[in-house]
């Protein structure tokens, strides 16, 4: 058998991973080491050499984007579609399983998925109905707590009984939340995982069926798996399936949302026959960038260990820029990006990475001043946009009348005379009758008994609208046609068409694109699929997915967490100061500090050609002027790998790099100034003394001002004051 097409172009470690005969394989894939290629080639190998059917493979990812990319690569290489292949995110695979077996767990077969926003809205409604004090626990915090319980495998009845009243109140709320979700047939993301794990644990026949079906289980980004996801992998592979996990413990940066790096670190405890392969050759970054990143991550103790290397160019030194303040930092980055573009590069090849979203404001201000195009990565994605969510809510309600979240979202959108007071009254009646809100408004007798004539008429018109829509969609198999009905019959399109607002055109374009997306869903070849319900599920899952939108040529701005999985020729990591990065919450906690260092490693390895690390020697942060020390991560890079763009001003900072600077002074009748001192000018504002020369009437200073940059000033006439 000729397998050259599968193995050609792979390095030794990649080839070992792809062809391994071990039952359990852990691939430690460093940044830029070709992990996606290894996963795709491994699946090809299993089908071509081991004779596995696509139906016998299960590939689990963490984003729909990753799943789509892998499927596309695999189908392209094989030259045929693989409709039988089970490949998708953990949540989408669990949804696929539950669509077949939800009634076995006492859930309705036609359940709908709530995205994060829908879940918070539902919790807010429940809190209001129970007169919950939101100052004690806000809806978003309650959603986070419930999800955290579920991700640890805890139902409300499993939550330990506490002596603290607030803990018991949360436990009781969680119980009510569970009952409400089942009654309405609305399932949150965490429920998809927990219910699937419970299904496989409690029903031997279902578990045995899937264990027979899946002869190989492959998992991408395994270091990001949480307790439930690990348990799901265990259950599905326990029947003897081959296990192939790919990940990088050094890129485990989601501990705050439940990811357990221990899952990849200690995998051999659950699979004693585990074989480990390390992918250490990097195809992305220069050797200098890799050596700097290796030096930083080497300070962590809880890791499997690897050393990234490149066969490419050595590359230029990592630049360190000690800014005077946050505006000087932003101006320097803007200038460097403009120089990059003037030299033939593109704005989109440059990325500004920061630890906190709050840091973006100054950069946005400076970029606007300099008329540089930029995009803040992580803005509203397509399925999160209001007009798209409105259309999908109509569709959800047409398919599932008891979906209170969908009903509340669209009952008065477009405006149809149903005010907040009427909606609150409907909500209260539904709570008293332990039924859905639709059951109240669809009952003519209840409308007549409880509402004013005007409200009765408005509610009746809405019921008629939805009933007509439900009738038209009853036998509709085309997702595109269903979306056209939802968008146009609801009045959404007309509402934006006649609104006269500047963004109306963009909103109409989004609705048109939503309909267009339905035409792609109609291409499904699975005869057993409910295309419309699958489309609604995919839309909800996409809304919670961390993926970028396509954009024009613009500077990319994002948090370090958002940057994971991306790469750029020119990267700036800003705000690299103690208490910002690493964050003040992590400095006293060894585990959190190691995760912060992994985050620094992730940020550094996003850079392909140029990497610049910036910090400010003075920063107004959280309302206070601070004089921070540079991040310890900067100090951990060997000096022969870095180039300081200018001398670090303050003695403490300079000493940290082992190169203290001379602190010059100038004395005359106009005052005494020191190198590095902050001063204020009546015209230019605040600045930092960069250089001092001469004496007496000829004494002069080079001052870097936040407003205008560097200026030479004669001290006898400058009217400088200490800031």
């Amino acid at each position: 058998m000729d397998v050259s097409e599968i193995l050609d172009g792979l390095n030794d470690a990649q080839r070992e991973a792809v062809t391994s005969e071990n039952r359990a394989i852990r691939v430690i894939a460093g940044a830029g080491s070709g992990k996606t290629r290894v996963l795709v080639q491994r699946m090809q190998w299993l089908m071509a050499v081991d004779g596995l059917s696509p139906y016998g493979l299960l590939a689990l990812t963490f984003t729909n984007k990753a799943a789509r990319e892998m499927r596309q690569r695999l189908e392209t290489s094989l030259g045929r579609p693989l409709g039988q292949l089970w490949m998708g995110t953990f949540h989408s695979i669990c949804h696929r399983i539950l669509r077949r077996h939800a009634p076995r767990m006492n859930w309705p077969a036609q359940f709908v998925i709530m995205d994060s926003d829908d879940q918070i809205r539902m919790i807010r409604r429940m809190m209001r109905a129970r007169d919950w004090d939101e100052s004690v626990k806000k809806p978003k915090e309650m959603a986070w707590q419930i999800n955290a319980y579920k991700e640890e495998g805890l139902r409300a009845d499993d939550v330990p009984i506490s002596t603290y009243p607030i803990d018991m109140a949360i436990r009781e709320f969680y119980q009510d939340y569970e009952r409400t979700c089942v009654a309405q047939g609305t399932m949150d993301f965490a429920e998809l995982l927990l219910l699937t794990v419970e299904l496989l644990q409690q029903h031997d026949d279902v578990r045995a069926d899937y264990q027979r079906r899946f002869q190989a289980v492959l998992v991408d980004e395994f270091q990001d798996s949480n307790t439930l996801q690990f348990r799901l992998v265990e259950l599905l592979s326990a029947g003897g399936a081959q296990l192939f996990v790919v990940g990088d413990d050094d890129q485990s940066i989601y501990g705050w949302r439940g990811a357990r790096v221990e899952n990849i670190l200690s995998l051999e405890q659950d699979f004693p026959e585990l074989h480990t392969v390390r992918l250490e050759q990097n195809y992305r970054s220069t050797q200098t960038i890799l050596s700097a990143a290796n030096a930083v991550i080497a300070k962590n103790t809880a890791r499997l260990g690897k050393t990234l290397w490149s066969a490419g160019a050595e590359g230029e030194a990592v630049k360190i820029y000690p800014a005077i303040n946050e505006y000087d930092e932003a101006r320097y980055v803007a200038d460097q990006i403009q120089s990059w573009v003037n030299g033939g590069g593109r704005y989109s090849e440059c990325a500004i990475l920061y630890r906190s979203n709050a840091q973006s404001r100054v950069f946005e201000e400076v970029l606007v001043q300099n008329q540089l195009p930029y995009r803040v990565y992580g803005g509203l994605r397509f399925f999160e946009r209001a007009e798209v969510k409105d259309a999908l809510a109509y569709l959800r309600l047409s398919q599932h009348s008891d979906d209170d979240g969908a009903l509340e979202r669209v009952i008065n959108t477009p405006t149809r005379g149903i005010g907040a007071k009427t909606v609150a009254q409907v909500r209260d009646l539904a709570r008293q009758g332990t039924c859905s809100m639709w059951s109240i408004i669809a009952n003519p007798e209840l409308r007549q008994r409880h509402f004013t004539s005007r409200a009765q008429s408005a509610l009746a018109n809405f019921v008629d609208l939805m009933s007509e829509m439900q009738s038209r969609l009853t036998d509709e198999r085309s997702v595109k046609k269903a979306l056209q009905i939802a968008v146009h019959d609801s009045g959404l399109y007309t509402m934006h068409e006649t609104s006269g607002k500047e963004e109306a055109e963009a909103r109409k374009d989004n609705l048109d694109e939503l309909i267009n997306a339905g035409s792609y869903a109609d291409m499904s070849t699975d005869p057993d699929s409910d295309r419309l319900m699958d489309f609604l599920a995919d839309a909800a899952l996409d809304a919670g997915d961390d993926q970028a939108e396509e954009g024009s040529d613009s500077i990319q701005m994002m948090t370090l967490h958002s940057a994971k999985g991306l790469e750029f020729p020119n990267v700036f990591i800003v705000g690299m100061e103690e208490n910002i990065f690493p964050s003040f919450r992590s400095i006293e906690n060894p585990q959190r500090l190691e995760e912060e260092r992994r985050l620094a490693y992730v940020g550094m390895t996003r850079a392909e050609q140029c990497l610049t690390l910036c910090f400010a020697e003075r920063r107004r942060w959280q309302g206070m002027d601070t004089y921070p020390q540079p991040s310890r991560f900067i100090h951990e890079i060997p000096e022969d790998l870095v180039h300081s763009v200018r001398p670090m001003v303050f003695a403490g900072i300079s000493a940290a790099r082992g190169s203290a600077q001379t602190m010059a002074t100038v004395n005359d009748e106009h005052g005494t100034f020191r190198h590095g001192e902050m001063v204020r000018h009546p015209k230019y504002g605040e600045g930092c003394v960069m250089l001092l020369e001469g004496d007496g009437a000829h004494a002069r200073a080079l001052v870097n001002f936040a407003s205008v940059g560097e200026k030479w000033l004669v001290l006898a006439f400058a009217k400088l004051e200490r800031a």
Side-chain angles (χ1 to χ4, degrees):
M1 176 184 295
D2 184 359
V3 292
S4 301
E5 188 175 341
I6 299 175
L7 302 183
D8 279 350
L10 299 180
N11 62 39
D12 293 346
Q14 291 172 332
R15 198 160 52 250
E16 179 186 356
V18 167
T19 62
S20 177
E21 298 179 8
N22 298 80
R23 188 217 156 194
I25 303 158
R26 173 178 60 191
V27 180
I28 307 301
S33 63
K35 71 176 180 64
T36 303
R37 182 179 188 183
V38 166
L39 272 166
V40 171
Q41 306 298 77
R42 175 66 177 179
M43 285 186 277
Q44 281 188 262
W45 180 269
L46 291 174
M47 288 185 283
V49 178
D50 291 353
L52 272 60
S53 163
Y55 191 64
L57 301 180
L58 171 64
L60 295 163
T61 68
F62 278 85
T63 66
N64 288 309
K65 179 181 177 182
R68 286 191 290 265
E69 180 184 353
M70 287 170 56
R71 179 182 289 274
Q72 184 178 17
R73 286 198 196 185
L74 191 58
E75 291 181 342
T76 299
S77 61
L78 294 176
R80 68 178 192 277
L82 296 173
Q84 294 178 309
L85 177 65
W86 282 54
M87 177 185 288
T89 64
F90 279 89
H91 292 98
S92 65
I93 293 298
C94 287
H95 169 256
R96 189 169 179 178
I97 292 173
L98 291 176
R99 279 291 303 276
R100 303 182 178 195
H101 305 290
R104 297 283 293 270
M105 301 301 290
N106 299 315
W107 271 79
Q110 294 299 315
F111 65 86
V112 295
I113 301 174
M114 296 184 290
D115 64 23
S116 301
D117 184 50
D118 293 327
Q119 182 187 23
I120 292 170
R121 287 163 63 93
M122 177 180 176
I123 288 174
R124 182 176 287 111
R125 291 196 305 273
M126 292 178 62
M127 283 183 165
R128 289 173 179 169
R130 291 157 178 76
D131 296 322
W132 184 280
D133 184 358
E134 290 192 17
S135 65
V136 177
K137 198 81 168 177
K138 293 181 172 60
K140 189 174 183 179
E141 295 171 344
M142 183 67 80
W144 181 91
Q145 183 65 72
I146 290 173
N147 292 341
Y149 282 142
K150 289 187 178 185
E151 287 169 0
E152 288 299 318
L154 297 176
R155 288 293 181 191
D157 292 340
D158 300 324
V159 175
I161 295 175
S162 171
T163 57
Y164 294 100
I166 181 60
D167 292 339
M168 292 307 296
I170 293 172
R171 187 177 189 269
E172 291 171 5
F173 188 93
Y174 183 13
Q175 290 172 326
D176 288 346
Y177 174 81
E178 284 187 315
R179 287 191 290 266
T180 302
C181 286
V182 175
Q184 293 187 3
T186 52
M187 196 176 295
D188 58 50
F189 286 161
E191 184 68 30
L192 285 169
L193 295 172
L194 179 54
L195 195 65
T196 303
V197 167
E198 291 175 337
L199 169 72
L200 297 174
Q201 288 174 329
Q202 297 172 18
H203 295 277
D204 296 344
D205 58 327
V206 177
R207 183 176 67 252
D209 178 51
Y210 285 104
Q211 287 177 346
R212 283 192 299 269
R213 174 176 301 170
F214 300 131
Q215 299 169 278
V217 177
L218 304 96
V219 189
D220 187 21
E221 302 285 10
F222 191 67
Q223 79 281 349
D224 293 335
S225 59
N226 62 27
T227 300
L228 272 182
Q229 290 160 339
F230 183 80
R231 183 64 183 138
L232 180 67
V233 171
E234 277 189 313
L235 288 166
L236 292 174
S237 60
Q242 295 183 44
L243 179 64
F244 189 86
V245 304
V246 178
D248 184 2
D249 55 308
D250 289 335
Q251 295 189 70
S252 179
I253 58 174
Y254 297 119
W256 49 277
R257 69 183 190 193
R260 299 180 72 254
V261 68
E262 295 83 5
N263 290 348
I264 193 169
L265 291 176
S266 307
L267 190 60
E268 60 268 22
Q269 294 180 8
D270 297 277
F271 297 88
E273 71 276 36
L274 183 71
H275 176 63
T276 298
V277 180
R278 286 175 170 79
L279 305 184
E280 298 178 303
Q281 184 175 357
N282 176 283
Y283 294 92
R284 173 190 302 158
S285 307
T286 66
Q287 185 58 54
T288 297
I289 292 172
L290 296 179
S291 297
N294 287 335
V296 171
I297 199 63
K299 298 294 183 181
N300 274 3
T301 57
R303 58 190 298 258
L304 294 167
K306 66 179 179 306
T307 302
L308 292 182
W309 60 275
S310 172
E314 191 71 20
E316 64 181 54
V318 175
K319 293 179 183 176
I320 308 294
Y321 185 71
I324 298 169
N325 55 30
E326 63 269 31
Y327 281 94
D328 180 43
E329 178 184 51
R331 271 196 307 276
Y332 172 77
V333 171
D335 289 345
Q336 291 299 300
I337 291 175
Q338 189 59 65
S339 295
W340 174 273
V341 174
N342 292 343
R346 294 172 57 84
Y347 290 113
S348 58
E349 295 172 337
C350 303
I352 304 172
L353 312 182
Y354 36 80
R355 180 65 180 82
S356 166
N357 273 313
Q359 293 169 255
S360 73
R361 184 190 66 81
V362 174
F363 283 90
E364 292 188 65
E365 183 179 334
V366 171
L367 293 176
V368 168
Q369 289 173 355
N370 288 273
Q371 298 183 322
L372 299 181
Y374 72 92
R375 183 173 69 88
V376 178
Y377 183 99
L380 289 179
R381 293 177 289 275
F382 184 79
F383 286 107
E384 293 176 329
R385 293 167 187 168
E387 61 276 14
V388 173
K389 289 175 73 70
D390 290 341
L392 294 176
Y394 272 108
L395 209 51
R396 283 168 49 193
L397 190 60
S398 72
Q399 300 300 298
H400 195 69
S401 298
D402 294 334
D403 188 343
D404 285 353
L407 185 145
E408 281 206 46
R409 184 176 186 95
V410 301
I411 193 170
N412 200 41
T413 304
T415 303
R416 49 177 60 91
I418 303 175
K421 184 177 179 180
T422 300
V423 174
Q425 193 175 354
V426 174
R427 189 188 303 119
D428 289 340
L429 289 170
R431 180 173 58 84
Q432 294 168 18
T434 62
C435 59
S436 69
M437 294 173 70
W438 175 263
S439 301
I440 300 297
I441 67 173
N443 187 319
E445 293 182 8
L446 291 177
R447 291 201 304 264
Q448 187 173 7
R449 187 187 313 163
H450 294 286
F451 298 94
T452 65
S453 297
R454 183 176 177 181
Q456 288 179 47
S457 176
L459 290 172
N461 288 339
F462 178 70
V463 169
D464 290 342
L465 169 71
M466 290 309 306
S467 297
E468 174 65 21
M469 191 178 294
Q470 290 167 350
S471 175
R472 292 190 64 187
L473 293 173
T474 298
D475 298 317
E476 182 57 63
R477 292 281 296 164
S478 168
V479 179
K480 180 178 180 180
K481 182 63 176 176
L483 286 165
Q484 286 175 329
I485 292 171
V487 166
H488 291 284
D489 289 20
S490 65
L492 285 176
Y493 200 89
T494 301
M495 176 182 75
H496 295 301
E497 198 167 38
T498 58
S499 71
K501 296 181 180 178
E502 291 181 0
E503 70 272 22
E505 205 61 39
R507 294 186 185 279
K508 287 194 300 176
D509 289 345
N510 287 335
L511 291 174
D512 287 334
E513 183 57 29
L514 178 64
I515 295 170
N516 189 46
S519 64
Y520 290 99
D522 286 337
M523 296 179 183
S524 172
T525 57
D526 186 351
D528 298 324
S529 72
D530 183 336
R531 291 175 184 169
L532 187 53
M533 294 302 293
D534 286 346
F535 181 83
L536 288 171
D538 287 341
L541 293 168
D542 265 341
D545 203 353
D546 295 326
Q547 57 180 313
E549 295 178 325
E550 293 295 329
S552 59
D553 183 24
S554 56
I555 300 162
Q556 306 296 295
M557 296 175 58
M558 67 195 76
T559 64
L560 285 148
H561 283 97
S562 298
K564 188 171 180 293
L566 304 176
E567 56 192 58
F568 305 93
N570 193 8
V571 169
F572 300 83
I573 306 180
V574 299
M576 291 201 69
E577 300 148 24
E578 292 291 293
N579 293 321
I580 293 182
F581 188 34
S583 70
F584 72 91
R585 295 185 184 89
S586 66
I587 288 177
E588 300 301 324
N589 184 312
Q591 288 184 323
R592 286 186 176 181
L593 184 57
E594 292 218 346
E595 181 158 317
E596 289 285 291
R597 188 172 279 109
R598 292 195 290 268
L599 189 57
Y601 173 83
V602 166
M604 295 170 72
T605 53
R606 299 311 94 197
E608 298 173 346
Q609 301 172 30
C610 301
L611 173 63
T612 303
L613 310 179
C614 302
F615 66 91
E617 294 170 341
R618 181 183 184 182
R619 181 182 297 275
R620 190 162 183 81
W621 182 246
Q622 297 178 342
M624 296 184 297
D625 282 328
T626 63
Y627 298 86
Q629 289 292 308
S631 170
R632 66 193 66 196
F633 305 144
I634 291 178
H635 300 323
E636 290 167 359
I637 304 173
E639 288 190 61
D640 61 337
L641 298 176
V642 303
H643 165 64
S644 184
V645 176
R646 70 180 182 201
M648 301 187 189
V649 175
F650 297 117
I653 296 174
S654 301
R657 295 298 304 161
S659 57
Q661 303 295 318
T662 301
M663 302 298 287
T665 63
V666 167
N667 298 281
D668 67 4
E669 64 270 26
H670 304 289
T672 301
F673 296 99
R674 291 167 54 85
H675 181 194
E677 188 170 22
M678 298 303 298
V679 294
R680 183 179 291 107
H681 186 272
K683 178 179 180 181
Y684 302 131
E686 288 191 2
C688 180
V689 178
M690 305 303 299
L691 191 61
L692 292 161
E693 294 179 353
D695 53 34
H698 297 104
R700 55 198 177 275
L702 178 65
V703 183
N704 194 319
F705 291 100
S707 60
V708 295
E710 293 182 344
K711 293 285 187 181
W712 277 105
L713 301 174
V714 176
L715 296 179
F717 307 103
K719 298 181 181 180
L720 286 179
E721 298 177 352
R722 289 181 180 79

